[in-house]
Structure formats: structure tokens, C-alpha cells
Amino acid sequence: MVILLLGPPGSGKGTQAKVLVERLGIPQLSTGDMLRAAVKDQTTLGVKAQSFMKKGELVPDNLVIGLIEERVVQKDCQKGFILDGFPRNVAQADMLETVLSKTQKKIDRVIALQVPEAELVKRLTGRRTCRQCGTGYHVDFQPPRAEGVCDRCNGELFQRNDDVAEVIVDRLRVYNDSTAPLLKYYQDKGALRAIDGTGSMTQITATIIGYLEK
Ligand code: AP5
């Protein structure tokens, strides 16, 4: 099954994708995570991508599509995967169709998480991530047992450099300008399901699973 999670920054795509990985046994393909790893390792891609990411802008399509092209042919993607943060605009969505058709796959479900903007800002400014294992937290909504320390591996928690107020404004603008048009794109294909992304994380997971099982 190929599942696409759409939604603005902070809507819970990554949080829900991680739960679905456990439940469905298919991997999460997050272009944001792949790009951050490339920046950390200072690969050629990472060096090119970092200035865009720091400003909350989209990394150019030609750089991102290669990541997905290479990833979807790997063995663990044979039974399907969860796309988180890709595609981000209509050009990427068209490219995705081409890539999937080469592997005889198609998008089975598109889930659009809906969360009001004020809530998104609260979620993003309070997000913390483990430097070691990548587990996500929120200082108020999903706090670790000990401040700044990962419950799972005792790793150090950090704040993403694009989770600051001034960059968040730009990320939300980019979402509205470039990514939100995908809602109509997938609605026209009859594949879109809007899901309320507010409320408890487990309740949102239950709604998503209910939809996937239909
Ligand atoms: P990316 O990493 O994809 O960031 P994003 O889309 O902005 O999404 P986020 O990771 O910020 O949010 P999320 O929806 O996953 O929320 P989360 O679950 O973490 O992209 C980063 C950058 O990389 C982009 O700006 C761009 O530069 C570049 N990039 C990436 N992909 C690209 C592409 N395809 N093309 C071009 N450029 C690309 O939740 C957020 C917080 O809220 C957490 O703290 C969580 O604990 C909390 N939370 C989650 N659910 C709930 C809930 N129900 N109630 C309360 N709190 C909750």
C-alpha cells in the first residue's frame, strides 16, 4: 500500500507516520528527514539544500526527486511505503506518478491532516527531537520524562533550526502557496481524505487506521 500524508508543517505527519510504520510494517519516506541527514553529513546534496531549509523554502525539485527515486526501489519498499512531506508541489506530484508507474505502483490513499494555524505554531515552537534516535516530543503536548532527555535512549533533545517563529511564518506561506494546491490535485483524482488533525494523537491514529481499513 502506498500512503501519502499531506498537511501543513506541524500537522502531525511525522508523528502519525511513525505509528503507521509500526502498525502496517511499511517504511516512512520523509524527504525532510532525508534532507536533514544530508545536511548533517554535509553531502553534495546537503550543502545545496541547507540554505533553502534554513529559510523555510522548498529545496529545488530536481534535488528532491532523486531521493525518492532511489528510495522507492529499495527492498523494504516492495510492500509499500508512507510518503511524509513529499510531494510538496504539483511538479513533484507529477514526477511521483512517473516514478511509481516505473515500479508498477500507485498511490492508494491520500490523507490530508487539518489543523488550525495557531495550533500549528504552538506545535512547531514546542517540538523537540532526539539527536540520537529521532524520537519526537513536544514540551507541553508530549513531554519527555526528564527535560531535554530522550525517554527511549537518553539522547539529547534538540530544537530544529526551522522551528523558530520567523521561519515558521515562511514555512506556512510556502505550504499555502505551493503545497495546498495538491489538495485539489488529489481530490480531482478521487483519492483524498481530509482528517481532523486536532485532538489526541491516538484518536487521530484510530481515525486514520479506520480509513485505511475501509
Ligand atoms: P519537513 O521535515 O517535511 O517539515 P514539515 O513539512 O514542515 O513538517 P514537520 O516535520 O514540521 O511537521 P509534521 O507534520 O511532521 O509534524 P510532527 O508530527 O513533527 O521539511 C522541512 C524542510 O525540508 C522544508 O521546509 C523544506 O525546506 C525541505 N523539504 C522537505 N521535503 C521537501 C520536498 N518534498 N521538496 C522540497 N523541499 C522539501 O508534529 C509537530 C509537533 O506537534 C511535535 O512536537 C508533535 O509532538 C506535536 N504533535 C503532533 N500531533 C499532535 C497532536 N495531535 N496534538 C498535540 N501535539 C501534536
Side-chain angles (χ1 to χ4, degrees), residues 60-213:
D61 297 339
N62 62 320
L63 298 179
V64 177
I65 189 72
L67 286 173
I68 290 293
E69 240 167 350
E70 281 171 25
R71 191 64 187 84
V72 298
V73 293
Q74 287 171 18
K75 206 169 167 218
D76 64 333
C77 289
Q78 267 172 12
K79 281 200 237 155
F81 42 85
I82 302 157
L83 288 163
D84 160 12
F86 183 91
R88 283 291 238 269
N89 56 31
V90 171
Q92 289 185 9
D94 288 337
M95 288 182 210
L96 177 63
E97 298 272 318
T98 310
V99 169
L100 291 180
S101 67
K102 282 188 204 157
T103 55
Q104 275 85 50
K105 285 196 172 65
K106 64 171 182 54
I107 297 168
D108 297 291
R109 298 276 202 279
V110 181
I111 293 163
L113 292 172
Q114 299 190 314
V115 178
E117 208 156 294
E119 169 82 9
L120 295 172
V121 174
K122 272 192 228 159
R123 288 188 185 182
L124 292 169
T125 49
R127 172 167 50 190
R128 300 292 182 269
T129 310
C130 176
R131 214 177 273 290
Q132 218 158 278
C133 71
T135 300
Y137 295 90
H138 188 282
V139 290
D140 298 316
F141 308 139
Q142 199 183 16
R145 282 192 293 269
E147 195 186 325
V149 181
C150 178
D151 292 351
R152 279 201 184 168
C153 72
N154 285 332
E156 180 204 358
L157 304 187
F158 75 101
Q159 182 173 27
R160 270 169 49 175
N161 64 1
D162 60 350
D163 276 348
V164 289
E166 49 287 14
V167 184
I168 290 170
V169 170
D170 289 325
R171 287 165 64 199
L172 292 172
R173 179 186 44 75
V174 168
Y175 172 80
N176 288 324
D177 292 349
S178 304
T179 311
L182 288 179
L183 299 175
K184 182 162 187 325
Y185 178 98
Y186 287 112
Q187 199 167 31
D188 290 347
K189 290 180 186 284
L192 187 87
R193 173 67 174 262
I195 287 185
D196 182 2
T198 62
S200 83
M201 296 175 204
T202 47
Q203 188 190 321
I204 297 163
T205 306
T207 311
I208 293 175
I209 296 283
Y211 167 57
L212 295 178
E213 283 174 350

Side-chain angles (χ1 to χ4, degrees), residues 3 5 13-15 17-18 21 27-38 53 64 67-68 71 77 81-88 127 160:
I3 302 166
L5 291 180
K13 303 181 296 294
T15 302
K18 285 184 179 64
V21 165
Q28 168 195 16
L29 273 49
S30 158
T31 42
D33 287 347
M34 293 178 205
L35 288 166
R36 276 184 291 279
M53 296 175 77
V64 177
L67 286 173
I68 290 293
R71 191 64 187 84
C77 289
F81 42 85
I82 302 157
L83 288 163
D84 160 12
F86 183 91
R88 283 291 238 269
R127 172 167 50 190
R160 270 169 49 175

Side-chain angles (χ1 to χ4, degrees), residues 35 37-51 53:
L35 288 166
V39 171
K40 190 173 166 217
D41 295 343
Q42 286 291 285
T43 63
T44 312
L45 167 67
V47 170
K48 286 183 187 160
Q50 63 190 357
S51 61
M53 296 175 77

Side-chain angles (χ1 to χ4, degrees), residues 52-63:
F52 297 97
M53 296 175 77
K54 222 171 150 182
K55 287 185 277 184
E57 288 171 10
L58 292 184
V59 172
D61 297 339
N62 62 320
L63 298 179

